Amino acid sequence: MSEHVLFLTGKLAEKQLRSILEKIQPEFTYTVHQLGVKVAALMTTDMIARRLNDTFGATRIILPGRCRGDIEALSQQLSIPVERGPEELKDLPLYFGKAAHKYDLSQYSVKIFAEIVDAPHISIEAIVEKAYYYQRNGADVIDIGCLPSTDFPHLAETIRTLKQEGFTVSIDSLDDNDLLKGGKAGADYMLSLHESNLWISDEVAATPILIPEKHEDLASLNRAIAIMQAKNRDFIVDPILDPIHFGFTQSIVRYHQVRQQHPNINMMLGVGNITELTHADTVGMNTLLLGICSELNINNILATQVSKHACRAIKEADLARRIMYAAKEQNTLPKHIDAGLMALHEPAPFPYALNEIQELAAQITDPSFRIQSSMEGIHIFNRDGFHSATDPFDLYPHLNVSNDGGHAFYLGVELARAQIAWQLGKRFSQDQPLSWGCATDSTGATVDLHAFKPAGTTLKKQP
């Protein structure tokens, strides 16, 4: 039996929904049913259960994206699968286009070593706390960063404590004694060994990360690789990624050369030399570097979060590695897989053109303000008028809220969000915070579409 989809909508959106479906020309047949409510977003599953008397032979029902309530209960009541569509009607084509392409982001091939720098100056308790934070953001290995010519009296106890807490640990030092002490304390990895101190790997079980004896000396690196292979020991190779203008391009070439010479060895890329030492947003840098890792089959990165501008580097690298893995597995470009790396911009920031917003505004018969944005600017409207601007302050004289502090504050917040979104090219949805992808930690509760949104502080009566 062919699929027949029932779309439920409100009065204001019905015409546009029909127009979009006609343009999509879906493979399934469909019915558009207007449920007798003006604004589709005000529809609830309880309302649908009361008002929907005919399912029109549907095999699937699609509700407006902002419809609240328990769709599983509604589905059981109607004996038909029920799902929410996208929040914006204009995203309906993408919604159906992606229905058969849901990417699994639970998989990845790159292991993240997250370095806790200046560890000798940090207490064990603080190190453990930071280790848990890094782990929550995606770290697989907690790297303990030592300092040159600096005593680290609690090194062994730090590693033992982390191991007791269940962490995988690496010791990171240029001092042989630190490496030896860390390995004997139970570290799983050692950063970094070279041709002259490979003897340390005979003393401990930790897996060594190999680097050239001297910078750019691939011959010494090849000899170290050969020695470890002869011993049948596991190892990871790091040809060293250099900062921009200090050998960056040549170091990428070096990684490529090592991979060509050794197709099957395990490799590491130290992304911190780019993310930490370049004053630019780290999301794009991590994405590109993880793309290089994907192409060269580099399955380990060393990441740091020292500079303030790199404060989300581990979280960004975690999502980037998952997206790159999914794209590689599906033999596709890393596009339209997940929006988390789109921190400042979006593929489709303005779902509605100015004329479409004006057409909607013409149907409004109540005093509540709606705010939307288009390429031309910010638009606010109700039954009393339609006003546009690129600076929210220009809109204030038209709003008539000088005697309503709560309403004025609410509109100010929403218009400020709209202005930021318009300037950057981001999606703005009234009553929702702007999305910054994985570049921020969420500061508010996740929107629960099973529950009704509580009244905000501007609606509550103030004492």
Side-chain angles (χ1 to χ4, degrees):
M1 183 177 71
S2 61
E3 184 179 29
H4 185 78
V5 178
L6 172 61
F7 292 88
L8 298 182
T9 188
K11 294 178 182 178
L12 295 181
E14 180 181 6
K15 178 181 178 182
Q16 186 176 49
L17 174 58
R18 291 184 183 279
S19 175
I20 290 173
L21 288 170
E22 288 174 7
K23 292 177 182 177
I24 294 176
Q25 295 185 338
E27 296 179 357
F28 52 80
T29 58
Y30 63 86
T31 298
V32 174
H33 180 60
Q34 192 267 103
L35 206 62
V37 59
K38 181 177 291 186
V39 181
L42 298 180
M43 199 181 295
T44 69
T45 54
D46 289 341
M47 181 189 299
I48 293 168
R50 293 194 306 269
R51 296 190 182 189
L52 187 63
N53 300 315
D54 186 353
T55 57
F56 304 93
T59 56
R60 179 166 50 137
I61 298 175
I62 295 183
L63 311 182
R66 294 189 176 93
C67 176
R68 298 193 178 275
D70 190 340
I71 61 171
E72 290 186 8
L74 181 63
S75 179
Q76 291 176 1
Q77 181 176 343
L78 298 175
S79 299
I80 300 173
V82 178
E83 62 190 70
R84 290 184 180 87
E87 291 195 3
E88 298 290 351
L89 270 180
K90 278 296 186 71
D91 293 330
L92 204 58
L94 183 62
Y95 176 81
F96 284 111
K98 291 185 68 176
H101 302 285
K102 295 185 182 296
Y103 292 92
D104 178 11
L105 294 183
S106 67
Q107 304 296 313
Y108 58 86
S109 61
V110 176
K111 189 177 294 183
I112 297 176
F113 286 62
E115 182 180 358
I116 297 178
V117 300
D118 300 341
H121 299 320
I122 305 175
S123 69
I124 295 175
E125 292 77 13
I127 288 174
V128 171
E129 182 180 358
K130 186 165 289 190
Y132 274 111
Y133 173 72
Y134 285 171
Q135 185 183 67
R136 289 194 299 271
N137 281 273
D140 302 286
V141 181
I142 302 303
D143 183 61
I144 302 303
C146 301
L147 290 168
S149 304
T150 303
D151 289 337
F152 195 168
H154 54 297
L155 169 58
E157 187 180 354
T158 294
I159 292 176
R160 286 194 292 267
T161 301
L162 288 170
K163 292 297 296 180
Q164 289 169 1
E165 294 288 324
F167 291 100
T168 302
V169 183
S170 62
I171 177 67
D172 191 340
S173 179
L174 296 176
D175 183 275
D176 291 354
N177 291 326
D178 285 343
L179 293 171
L180 192 61
K181 186 185 296 184
K184 289 183 176 180
D188 301 277
Y189 298 92
M190 294 183 293
L191 284 78
S192 303
L193 299 188
H194 48 74
E195 187 179 12
S196 295
N197 64 357
L198 284 181
W199 59 270
I200 298 175
S201 66
D202 297 327
E203 303 291 325
V204 297
T207 299
I209 284 75
L210 306 181
I211 62 174
E213 177 91 31
K214 295 181 180 179
H215 192 55
E216 301 184 4
D217 183 6
L218 291 188
S220 72
L221 183 60
N222 286 330
R223 288 192 295 268
I225 290 171
I227 291 171
M228 296 303 293
Q229 288 175 330
K231 294 178 180 180
N232 198 28
R233 283 287 305 273
D234 288 336
F235 60 91
I236 300 172
V237 173
D238 183 0
I240 307 298
L241 183 69
D242 291 320
I244 293 172
H245 292 152
F246 290 87
F248 169 68
T249 303
Q250 185 56 42
S251 66
I252 295 294
V253 173
R254 197 159 58 241
Y255 274 88
H256 185 257
Q257 289 174 337
V258 172
R259 176 51 76 208
Q260 285 187 315
Q261 294 170 8
H262 306 280
N264 300 315
I265 64 170
N266 204 356
M267 295 180 67
M268 171 178 279
L269 185 76
V271 298
N273 274 352
I274 301 302
T275 57
E276 295 283 348
L277 303 178
T278 308
H279 268 173
D281 293 317
T282 53
V283 175
M285 288 185 272
N286 271 311
T287 303
L288 185 60
L289 292 170
L290 267 296
I292 292 172
C293 288
S294 183
E295 286 201 352
L296 295 180
N297 294 320
I298 297 172
N299 292 328
N300 306 274
I301 65 168
L302 177 62
T304 54
Q305 291 190 174
V306 182
S307 302
K308 297 298 183 184
H309 79 279
C311 61
R312 298 290 186 272
I314 294 169
K315 185 178 181 182
E316 296 160 6
D318 176 44
L319 180 55
R321 65 176 172 173
R322 296 170 188 272
I323 289 175
M324 293 303 166
Y325 183 88
K328 191 172 185 178
E329 286 292 297
Q330 297 294 322
N331 193 31
T332 187
L333 295 170
K335 293 181 67 177
H336 301 305
I337 293 176
D338 186 89
L341 297 174
M342 299 289 291
L344 295 182
H345 312 293
E346 293 186 37
F350 307 116
Y352 300 101
L354 175 58
N355 65 307
E356 293 173 311
I357 297 173
Q358 290 172 326
E359 184 177 347
L360 169 65
Q363 302 176 63
I364 299 300
T365 58
D366 61 74
S368 297
F369 284 108
R370 279 80 165 175
I371 303 171
Q372 289 188 271
S373 61
S374 70
M375 291 185 65
E376 288 76 13
I378 308 160
H379 315 290
I380 185 168
F381 52 93
N382 63 4
R383 68 184 181 190
D384 300 317
F386 182 96
H387 308 284
S388 300
T390 57
D391 183 346
F393 284 102
D394 294 338
L395 297 170
Y396 181 75
H398 306 290
L399 304 182
N400 298 318
V401 290
S402 58
N403 296 321
D404 188 346
H407 198 189
F409 183 89
Y410 163 78
L411 291 177
V413 170
E414 290 299 314
L415 288 169
R417 286 174 173 166
Q419 181 192 30
I420 292 169
W422 177 75
Q423 288 176 322
L424 288 175
K426 293 187 67 65
R427 182 70 66 91
F428 168 78
S429 295
Q430 189 172 352
D431 294 327
Q432 298 295 331
L434 298 180
S435 172
W436 305 103
C438 69
T440 61
D441 291 330
S442 176
T443 56
T446 302
V447 175
D448 182 6
L449 289 175
H450 288 184
F452 292 96
K453 191 171 182 179
T457 53
T458 59
L459 288 178
K460 294 178 181 177
K461 199 168 185 179
Q462 300 299 312

